[in-house]
Amino acid sequence: MNNYTEFQIFAIFYIIGIIITFVFDFFKSLRLIIKHNNKVVFIEDLIYITFTAILFFLGIFKLNNGIIRVYLILATILGIFAYSLTISRFCVIIFTVIIGGLNKIVTFILNVIQNILLNIKRIISFFIEYFIKRNKS
């Protein structure tokens, strides 16, 4: 038996609504920066839905002994709306800047690695051709 009051449980589910929307904004920002094909979108959606369901139902089971009440759903929806109407745009901008910066860094590193590997391949090809020509003569 938990010793939480209904108000405390309401407040926690309000925060759960905020967390759910925060994670949604992360995926939204990710999709704005990096183009995805349908399979990747499906996997991201599956991860998000699974996370949301686990968070919500763990909250119900841990805080309210598995009893679903209307006020829990209402608190979650209020948390979603409060976050969406206040700091959602700000968070999307921050996520977009961070993800965009990380994307540029990773792309740069991958390009450097690709150029190094290409140069190694050219050197190896040159030596292979040189020794083949030398052995034929």
Side-chain angles (χ1 to χ4, degrees):
M1 184 86 184
N2 294 320
N3 294 328
Y4 297 106
T5 65
E6 287 182 350
F7 178 75
Q8 290 171 324
I9 295 172
F10 183 90
I12 292 170
F13 274 86
Y14 181 85
I15 293 169
I16 287 174
I18 292 172
I19 293 168
I20 287 169
T21 316
F22 183 79
V23 172
F24 176 80
D25 279 348
F26 171 77
F27 282 110
K28 179 175 162 183
S29 301
L30 191 62
R31 289 180 188 167
L32 288 173
I33 296 299
I34 302 169
K35 300 303 175 205
H36 296 76
N37 63 30
N38 289 339
K39 291 178 184 177
V40 175
V41 171
F42 174 76
I43 291 169
E44 286 177 351
D45 287 346
L46 194 61
I47 291 169
Y48 175 73
I49 290 168
T50 303
F51 166 78
T52 301
I54 289 172
L55 184 63
F56 188 75
F57 286 110
L58 274 179
I60 288 172
F61 284 109
K62 294 287 185 181
L63 301 172
N64 208 33
N65 298 320
I67 301 169
I68 299 176
R69 302 275 186 205
V70 173
Y71 74 91
L72 301 178
I73 297 168
L74 179 64
T76 305
I77 291 170
L78 287 174
I80 290 169
F81 279 127
Y83 174 87
S84 296
L85 296 174
T86 56
I87 62 172
S88 177
R89 286 184 183 173
F90 178 70
C91 288
V92 168
I93 291 169
I94 290 176
F95 284 144
T96 303
V97 168
I98 291 171
I99 293 168
L102 289 174
N103 187 33
K104 287 179 183 178
I105 292 170
V106 169
T107 302
F108 175 77
I109 291 171
L110 290 176
N111 284 338
V112 168
I113 292 171
Q114 182 181 13
N115 287 335
I116 290 171
L117 292 175
L118 185 61
N119 287 330
I120 290 171
K121 178 184 173 190
R122 287 179 184 158
I123 292 170
I124 292 172
S125 297
F126 172 78
F127 281 113
I128 289 173
E129 287 179 26
Y130 175 76
F131 285 116
I132 289 175
K133 287 180 183 178
R134 190 169 175 201
N135 288 337
K136 284 185 180 180
S137 336

